[in-house]
Amino acid sequence: MKPPRKLHIKSYGCQMNVYDAQRMVDTLAGEGYIETGDVNDADLVILNTCHIREKASEKVYSELGRLREVKDEAARHGRRISIAVAGCVAQAEGEEIIRRAPVVDVVVGPQSYHHLPQLLAHARRHGRALETEFPVQDKFGFLAPPRAEAIRARGISAFVTVQEGCDKFCTFCVVPYTRGAEVSRPVARIVDEVQRLADHGVCEITLIGQNVNAYHGEGPDGRIWTLGQLLHRLAALPGIVRLRYSTSHPRDVDDSLIVAHRDLPALMPFVHLPVQSGSDRILSAMNRKHSSDDYRRVIDRFRAVRQDIAFSSDFIVGFPGEQEEDFQATLALVAQIGYAGAYSFKYSPRPGTPAAEIRETVSATEMDERLVRLQQLIDSQQSAFNQAAIGTTVDVLFERSARNPGQIVGRTAYLQPAHVMASPDIIGKVLPVTIQSLERYSLLGQLAPPTPASQAQLAPADVAPADVAPADRTPAEIMTPAHITTGA
Ligand code: 5AD
Ligand code: SF4
């Protein structure tokens, strides 16, 4: 028997890349590849890249510089390492990647991952392979499903892509160019995938898409279903106790989504709803297609049906032409909404986007200063939100053993990590926890007697595996809700 080939994959950027990386691993498993965490041990290295801001893009080239040394060293020992660049930089830069970094063997855009085995074979024969087309085929129909062991190893919470691409064309954003037009997967395929995940112990699903609430997939009745309808269907699947979705656009919040929040206890009351700016002048220059008041009204609609709902958002500071008064409008909006957390970014001009052509730019010093002021406000809101949990009893879905021996870590409805001392057999269960203190971004508490609500959620979740212990994430990564952001 041939020894297995080893694959090392590194993902940058949004959670859609995390999902795509898993599907690439699943597809290459069929070709005899197993995953390795050690790049020096790999036969194939895939960089799954992000193009959203300049910093993210440039990381790829510094990583490729390091990989050249790894590849040369392996070659000195008679071993060949193949290097593939996948993701949005691959899509945006194509052949330019090979020109700048000849160490690369394969360049593959996000819509072509199902062709990876053929592309690797082609590169072995001809030296290089590149595919950055937007094929008409639905790649999801061709990517291999994860094996049972892979699902179990990935833990009790999983991402499922339901929608990809974006038709909004915000003037600063590369997504419509790198991920292409909005496409939704059919309901039946998503249900099958979620069912399979649930069969192997997954009990929390986050539906993802660059503009997830624009979801309009074909339903089993032949009609087009909305995200709200899809959530209703998935909530009915045995074993699924928590549902989330990300990232949403304020313009696409329809009544079915609001109704889903009203009627589905499994749908977590935590919504990532990027607004980008509080200034109507800037929102219009960004082509956001909504005003700051439209955004406030959307928030009110959610709050009207679920008083305990919390929000996170994305902000861009220093968009071309942003004046102090525009920035003040952003601060005022944040102060009024009150976020549980948010991501804020300095504007980064992206080649090929309309905003990159605008001359009237904001100075680097001003951008830095605005970013600090905005982050201070957001941080104070996030701290207040976390502090408010102390002394309350909240439901926590337990995910894995923590770094400290004897501790198990889970998440509250608002994705706050919560630690308790308990036995690992609580992994996969939703249990009430009385929160006693806050350590940086983590809540510490102890198991409380069960509440009727947690009891009701508990029954189907008992199928969870006991042996899940993926690598610890840093508290900042866990709590900042925007580590899940992908678009919108
Ligand atoms: N510059 C800075 N931030 C950006 N984002 C998207 N494009 C840019 C850009 N050119 C941010 C937006 C989006 C998040 C995923 O990334 O806030 O919501
Ligand atoms: Fe689409 Fe979001 Fe990018 Fe706007 S910011 S173009 S809505 S992905």
Side-chain angles (χ1 to χ4, degrees):
M1 214 174 85
K2 270 204 315 198
R5 286 179 287 180
K6 294 193 183 158
L7 159 67
H8 178 79
I9 188 159
K10 188 163 177 184
S11 262
Y12 302 83
C14 68
Q15 83 267 42
M16 190 164 286
N17 268 5
V18 175
Y19 177 84
D20 285 347
Q22 291 178 351
R23 302 302 301 267
M24 284 189 257
V25 169
D26 299 333
T27 298
L28 291 171
E31 304 288 308
Y33 281 95
I34 57 167
E35 224 182 330
T36 171
D38 178 5
V39 65
N40 297 296
D41 192 32
D43 301 291
L44 169 64
V45 179
I46 302 179
L47 299 184
N48 194 19
T49 61
C50 171
H51 195 57
I52 199 91
R53 284 169 293 275
E54 192 182 355
K55 240 193 199 159
S57 268
E58 284 304 312
K59 269 190 203 156
V60 181
Y61 290 101
S62 42
E63 187 63 34
L64 286 172
R66 280 191 287 276
L67 284 177
R68 200 185 62 183
E69 287 168 25
V70 175
K71 188 168 176 165
D72 289 349
E73 179 61 21
R76 277 194 283 278
H77 295 92
R79 219 163 55 77
R80 181 186 149 79
I81 300 183
S82 300
I83 295 176
V85 176
C88 292
V89 176
Q91 187 63 44
E93 298 190 3
E95 234 158 315
E96 172 69 8
I97 296 179
I98 295 178
R99 204 188 56 75
R100 268 184 80 177
V103 68
V104 173
D105 302 281
V106 172
V107 174
V108 57
Q111 305 308 331
S112 308
Y113 295 152
H114 52 305
H115 293 153
L116 253 176
Q118 294 91 308
L119 290 167
L120 288 166
H122 186 276
R124 267 194 299 275
R125 279 195 305 274
H126 306 285
R128 294 255 155 69
L130 177 138
E131 188 175 330
T132 53
E133 299 301 307
F134 286 113
V136 257
Q137 295 163 331
D138 166 21
K139 73 171 172 200
F140 296 107
F142 295 88
L143 286 163
R147 293 160 191 225
E149 319 83 74
I151 299 175
R152 287 182 184 281
R154 288 170 191 162
I156 56 126
S157 180
F159 293 140
V160 173
T161 294
V162 299
Q163 176 282 331
E164 200 173 358
C166 183
D167 295 343
K168 291 284 186 296
F169 290 93
C170 298
T171 54
F172 53 81
C173 184
V174 289
V175 167
Y177 312 99
T178 56
R179 290 278 170 168
E182 235 177 71
V183 179
S184 297
R185 298 176 67 193
V187 172
R189 296 251 177 85
I190 298 165
V191 170
D192 286 352
E193 187 169 330
V194 171
Q195 183 64 70
R196 191 175 147 70
L197 291 167
D199 288 346
H200 298 290
V202 171
C203 50
E204 177 179 65
I205 298 286
T206 304
L207 304 180
I208 54 175
Q210 265 91 27
N211 196 348
V212 73
N213 59 329
Y215 177 83
H216 57 278
E218 190 191 338
D221 53 3
R223 296 183 185 204
I224 295 301
W225 281 31
T226 62
L227 181 65
Q229 290 172 293
L230 176 66
L231 285 163
H232 271 90
R233 176 72 188 86
L234 298 178
L237 292 179
I240 297 303
V241 296
R242 282 188 171 183
L243 287 168
R244 304 176 184 277
Y245 59 91
S246 185
T247 294
S248 301
H249 191 286
R251 267 273 295 236
D252 294 323
V253 175
D254 67 359
D255 286 342
S256 82
L257 189 57
I258 301 289
V259 165
H261 275 282
R262 186 193 66 195
D263 295 346
L264 301 176
L267 184 56
M268 291 296 100
F270 189 36
V271 177
H272 185 58
L273 197 63
V275 63
Q276 315 296 356
S277 168
S279 153
D280 288 341
R281 208 174 64 82
I282 297 297
L283 287 172
S284 159
M286 287 175 162
N287 190 31
R288 284 292 293 178
K289 303 181 169 79
H290 62 79
S291 67
S292 60
D293 275 348
D294 292 336
Y295 182 82
R296 288 182 178 90
R297 277 191 286 271
V298 172
I299 297 272
D300 288 346
R301 283 163 64 210
F302 279 109
R303 285 186 167 149
V305 296
R306 263 208 89 152
Q307 283 74 37
D308 63 345
I309 203 159
F311 296 92
S312 58
S313 186
D314 291 345
F315 294 91
I316 295 178
V317 298
F319 184 81
E322 185 188 70
Q323 306 287 330
E324 175 61 24
E325 61 180 342
D326 298 308
F327 179 65
Q328 288 290 342
T330 300
L331 292 178
L333 180 74
V334 174
Q336 190 186 353
I337 304 287
Y339 289 100
Y343 250 1
S344 37
F345 309 101
K346 285 189 273 185
Y347 169 71
S348 166
R350 307 307 293 129
T353 59
E357 306 295 318
I358 309 177
R359 287 254 180 85
E360 199 191 343
T361 53
V362 174
S363 76
T365 344
E366 237 162 346
M367 260 203 241
D368 286 340
E369 191 244 353
R370 285 180 194 165
L371 188 72
V372 169
R373 285 159 69 198
L374 178 58
Q375 284 183 340
Q376 275 171 355
L377 178 59
I378 292 165
D379 282 354
S380 69
Q381 292 190 340
Q382 184 171 337
S383 302
F385 186 80
N386 288 340
Q387 286 286 345
I390 298 174
T392 65
T393 297
V394 296
D395 281 343
V396 172
L397 170 57
F398 286 97
E399 288 188 357
R400 61 197 161 83
S401 296
R403 232 170 294 177
N404 290 347
Q407 260 188 355
I408 309 295
V409 61
R411 306 277 191 123
T412 68
Y414 308 109
L415 288 178
Q416 297 149 299
H419 291 73
V420 299
M421 295 299 288
S423 137
D425 61 14
I426 66 168
I427 292 170
K429 294 182 181 173
V430 178
L431 295 171
V433 173
T434 303
I435 305 300
Q436 293 161 320
S437 61
L438 178 68
E439 205 172 88
R440 275 169 57 90
Y441 295 98
S442 265
L443 303 174
L444 303 182
Q446 67 181 34
L447 291 176
T451 61
S454 61
Q455 283 293 59
Q457 287 192 50
L458 237 173
D462 276 271
V463 292
D467 58 345
V468 192
D472 259 351
R473 278 166 280 187
T474 64
E477 257 181 311
I478 298 173
M479 184 40 209
T480 317
H483 79 278
I484 57 170
T485 196
T486 174

